Amino acid sequence: MSLFDDDRPAKKTAHEIGSDLSLLSVDELSARIELLKEEIARLEAERTRKGASRAAAEGLFR
């Protein structure tokens, strides 16, 4: 046996929408919630940025 267990699959850190949650611990659920909150914030920031760009472009054609 080697000193390192490189053959073990890496633990999945991403969340797949609709995946089975029954085998996750409370800590794993909390980690996924944080991951999703960060992703929601990222999506909202991009939406805001694109909305501002769109408004500026529409302002040029008025």
Side-chain angles (χ1 to χ4, degrees), residues 1-3 8 10-11 13-14 16 18 23 25 28 32-33 35-38 41 44-47 49-50 53-54 57:
M1 182 177 226
S2 69
L3 293 174
R8 288 187 302 168
K11 192 169 190 176
T13 57
E16 185 177 327
L23 299 176
S25 69
E28 289 170 321
R32 288 191 185 201
I33 290 169
L35 177 71
L36 291 169
K37 284 180 180 178
E38 290 169 6
E44 288 176 337
E46 184 66 14
R47 180 180 61 186
R49 187 186 69 76
K50 287 188 177 197
S53 294
R54 182 177 181 177

Side-chain angles (χ1 to χ4, degrees), residues 12-62:
K12 188 176 179 183
T13 57
H15 178 73
E16 185 177 327
I17 302 299
S19 63
D20 181 18
L21 305 175
S22 64
L23 299 176
L24 298 176
S25 69
V26 171
D27 289 339
E28 289 170 321
L29 289 168
S30 295
R32 288 191 185 201
I33 290 169
E34 279 305 309
L35 177 71
L36 291 169
K37 284 180 180 178
E38 290 169 6
E39 184 63 7
I40 288 168
R42 189 177 77 90
L43 289 165
E44 288 176 337
E46 184 66 14
R47 180 180 61 186
T48 299
R49 187 186 69 76
K50 287 188 177 197
S53 294
R54 182 177 181 177
E58 287 175 351
L60 291 174
F61 297 105
R62 287 188 180 164

